[in-house]
Amino acid sequence: MTCREHPLRILRYSMRNIWLLIFPLLRGLSILQMDARRLYEWARGAWQDIAVIGLILLFGFVRWYFAHVTVTDKYITQSVGVIIRYRKTIPLESISVANAERPWLMIPFGGMKFSCDTRAGIFKATDMRLLVTRKVCAELMRHIPDVDRKMRIEDMPRANIVSVVLFSAFFSSGFSGAIFMGMFFLKGGSIAQDIVSLSLSRITETTEKISQRWLLRIPDAAVIFGAFMLAAWLLSFIINLLRYSRFKIIADRRTINVRCGITNRREYRINTSHINYTDLRQNLIMKFLKTVTVNISCAGYGYDSRHLPVLMPIRREKDLGKGLEEAGISGAEKLEFRSGWSGILSYLFNPVLAVNLVLPIYQVFEKQFPRFAELSFFFAVMAEIPLVWLVLVKTFAMLSSGISVKDNKVIVRCAKWTAFHTVIAHKDNIVKAEVRQSLLQMPSKKCNVLIWFCGESSSCYMVRSLKLTEGAEIMKALGYETKTSRASSGDKSVTL
């Protein structure tokens, strides 16, 4: 089948010649000083502006007319260009993820977005994106391998409305940051008003009206900004709720089909053999609740910041079921090598030091600037909150981090900033591993183990403060010989 993209694509092709609008713009500058004569002269030459716009659309139409999409039982080919032809061919068997999306703005025009991605490339860039009609999109998706209904895995976990709501709440951008900033400015506004009031009261009475005018604006601006931050999180929550509602997953041993969304309904078809690793993510609250969200690393799935690579929203860790394992998505198991309390310095030294430095810095600032004592105290309290939270995160990370290598599977459990990760992957998907030992770790014979997994972006996970003998055992279990080198910083490194 050979076809063209949706006619709306003409507008995008036309945007490449948008620079031609500089000529109507220059003509429009001539009537900045409006009078009847200049307005009449501009109206007489309006056909020139219409001609320029028509020329832009004509260029877009020509590019659209010569652009073709061809799909066979083995390939999808996109051909573009007029004088210089460019052809992109993707074998169907090489497609990792295919996506069909129905944006709500495209519904009146019968348009849909189709995209597919392969494991080729080093950046998170989609290999092919098309805007097509519903009929063409259905034909493209018909050639993409789908779940065999006869071989369908029955024990797949289901996402209910509660899990989607919790997932949208926890993973909305600025979930804690927006609340924190909102509290900061809601409270900081009144403090700023007091400080400015004290300073302005020393100004002469002749400027009292001006000072009161500006004084009343300070807390209002702070309240507005704080309300904006909270509203931003609420908007992000609503968008995520619309994006991941009606989440449904079905699978067989070769393909996973994920459908989600209300306004923008999306369907993903994932080749399970192209999945790099499984990532069970948690934050501290989810750690207490013993819940996880199942994510995967696969080219084309969760390809931008708006879409997370989630395969299963919030769910209790013990209730993941066996369906995911049958589809090739492994669950977490007990760890063979753990950090434990022996890594207290590696995990807690920096955050505990930061917590204890806030009070001395506040006291010094208070003595040097007593006029701003209340504001500095407020800043100190607001700085302590995330640092104490970080101490709690690192404490749990110290007690739960570790590595296990069993058969052909490797499990890495660690923390990145305030997020906990449990990564499960096949040993063949490891591209690099290191055992690092700093000068401070040499007396205690401790080390850090770093493992990189394949993917379109860097995926490095580190477990701190393991025994050096355990690091050697991990390398041996991975089936690689090791060599020792000394980095420029003085740390010893053992690499695959």
Side-chain angles (χ1 to χ4, degrees):
M1 183 194 75
T2 301
C3 60
R4 296 185 180 90
E5 292 188 74
H6 197 284
L8 286 177
R9 184 62 81 183
I10 295 175
L11 298 178
R12 180 177 178 181
Y13 287 134
S14 300
M15 292 298 293
R16 299 186 179 183
N17 299 288
I18 198 69
W19 60 272
L20 291 174
L21 288 178
I22 191 173
F23 299 108
L25 178 63
L26 292 175
R27 275 190 6 94
L29 293 177
S30 63
I31 61 168
L32 288 179
Q33 296 179 352
M34 184 70 66
D35 56 52
R37 182 180 61 84
R38 292 186 177 182
L39 183 61
Y40 175 73
E41 292 178 355
W42 177 84
R44 286 183 58 187
W47 65 270
Q48 301 175 14
D49 301 341
I50 298 174
V52 171
I53 296 175
L55 185 62
I56 294 174
L57 293 176
L58 179 62
F59 285 153
F61 174 80
V62 171
R63 290 182 60 87
W64 169 81
Y65 184 81
F66 285 95
H68 297 89
V69 178
T70 303
V71 57
T72 66
D73 292 335
K74 294 184 177 181
Y75 303 98
I76 295 180
T77 302
Q78 182 184 18
S79 302
V80 296
V82 180
I83 299 176
I84 300 176
R85 299 287 290 173
Y86 170 75
R87 178 175 295 176
K88 180 190 296 183
T89 301
I90 300 179
L92 295 180
E93 61 181 10
S94 299
I95 295 177
S96 301
V97 175
N99 174 32
E101 182 177 356
R102 186 199 61 192
W104 64 274
L105 288 174
M106 293 289 103
I107 293 178
F109 306 99
M112 293 190 68
K113 292 181 179 180
F114 173 84
S115 63
C116 59
D117 206 353
T118 68
R119 306 181 82 175
I122 58 175
F123 301 107
K124 288 185 176 181
T126 305
D127 293 331
M128 183 179 291
R129 289 185 180 181
L130 303 172
L131 179 61
V132 294
T133 61
R134 294 180 183 177
K135 181 180 179 181
V136 173
C137 186
E139 182 65 20
L140 291 172
M141 293 297 286
R142 188 179 68 82
H143 287 78
I144 305 297
D146 199 2
V147 175
D148 188 346
R149 304 291 173 170
K150 297 180 180 180
M151 304 296 293
R152 176 178 171 179
I153 299 173
E154 299 296 337
D155 193 23
M156 292 296 293
R158 297 183 179 180
N160 54 34
I161 186 62
V162 176
S163 65
V164 173
V165 170
L166 291 177
F167 176 82
S168 302
F170 284 131
F171 291 93
S172 295
S173 58
F175 170 66
S176 57
I179 298 177
F180 181 80
M181 291 296 294
M183 294 174 57
F184 182 91
F185 283 94
L186 287 172
K187 178 60 180 176
S190 61
I191 295 177
Q193 181 184 7
D194 295 337
I195 294 174
V196 176
S197 177
L198 180 61
S199 301
L200 294 179
S201 63
R202 300 183 180 182
I203 303 177
T204 57
E205 295 180 357
T206 57
T207 60
E208 183 177 358
K209 293 183 179 180
I210 299 177
S211 66
Q212 290 295 330
R213 183 183 303 174
W214 286 101
L215 185 62
L216 293 175
R217 293 184 182 182
I218 293 175
D220 292 341
V223 170
I224 291 174
F225 189 81
F228 171 79
M229 295 298 296
L230 294 175
W233 173 85
L234 181 60
L235 178 62
S236 177
F237 169 75
I238 294 174
I239 291 175
N240 279 340
L241 198 60
L242 295 175
R243 186 175 292 159
Y244 297 104
S245 292
R246 298 173 62 192
F247 195 98
K248 183 179 180 181
I249 175 175
I250 59 175
D252 57 20
R253 296 184 181 274
R254 297 183 305 170
T255 307
I256 298 176
N257 187 309
V258 176
R259 299 184 182 186
C260 59
I262 296 179
T263 55
N264 287 18
R265 189 65 178 169
R266 305 190 308 278
E267 177 185 356
Y268 295 95
R269 294 183 187 176
I270 305 170
N271 188 338
T272 57
S273 63
H274 290 193
I275 296 176
N276 302 316
Y277 57 85
T278 306
D279 185 5
L280 306 181
R281 297 184 184 179
Q282 297 173 294
N283 56 29
L284 190 56
I285 298 177
M286 294 171 62
K287 198 78 172 176
F288 282 117
L289 298 176
K290 296 182 179 181
T291 58
V292 297
T293 175
V294 181
N295 294 261
I296 59 173
S297 170
C298 187
Y301 191 64
Y303 52 87
D304 57 24
S305 58
R306 295 178 303 167
H307 302 90
L308 297 173
V310 57
L311 199 64
M312 180 54 57
I314 303 290
R315 194 173 181 87
R316 293 185 65 86
E317 191 171 2
K318 65 179 182 179
D319 295 334
L320 290 178
K322 297 181 180 180
L324 291 176
E325 293 187 2
E326 292 186 27
I329 309 299
S330 302
E333 298 178 5
K334 293 183 179 180
L335 299 176
E336 187 176 358
F337 308 101
R338 307 178 67 96
S339 298
W341 287 101
S342 60
I344 189 169
L345 291 178
S346 297
Y347 284 92
L348 296 178
F349 179 79
N350 290 332
V352 170
L353 178 64
V355 168
N356 289 301
L357 283 177
V358 171
L359 182 59
I361 293 175
Y362 156 70
Q363 292 176 343
V364 171
F365 191 87
E366 183 184 23
K367 291 181 180 179
Q368 295 294 327
F369 306 97
R371 184 182 302 177
F372 301 99
E374 186 178 359
L375 181 63
S376 60
F377 176 76
F378 174 71
F379 273 100
V381 172
M382 298 305 288
E384 286 284 12
I385 294 175
L387 291 176
V388 172
W389 185 267
L390 185 61
V391 170
L392 292 175
V393 170
K394 294 303 180 182
T395 301
F396 276 88
M398 175 187 65
L399 298 176
S400 61
S401 296
I403 296 177
S404 181
V405 182
K406 295 182 178 180
D407 299 327
N408 292 322
K409 185 168 60 177
V410 58
I411 302 173
V412 181
R413 182 173 292 172
C414 62
K416 287 186 175 182
W417 291 101
T418 59
F420 298 91
H421 298 264
T422 301
V423 178
I424 306 102
H426 197 278
K427 289 196 298 185
D428 293 341
N429 289 329
I430 297 176
V431 295
K432 182 181 178 182
E434 288 185 1
V435 177
R436 293 181 182 176
Q437 185 183 50
S438 65
L439 294 175
L440 296 177
Q441 290 177 325
M442 287 183 181
S444 59
K445 295 183 179 181
K446 294 289 184 178
C447 66
N448 302 330
V449 177
L450 297 86
I451 298 180
W452 285 261
F453 297 94
C454 61
E456 290 185 311
S457 61
S458 177
S459 302
C460 177
Y461 297 90
M462 178 174 64
V463 178
R464 299 176 181 272
S465 195
L466 293 174
K467 295 179 181 179
L468 188 59
T469 55
E470 292 179 340
E473 289 183 35
I474 292 172
M475 291 296 177
K476 184 178 179 180
L478 293 176
Y480 296 96
E481 295 182 357
T482 59
K483 59 181 180 179
T484 304
S485 61
R486 187 174 295 274
S488 58
S489 60
D491 295 353
K492 294 173 64 177
S493 174
V494 181
T495 312
L496 290 180

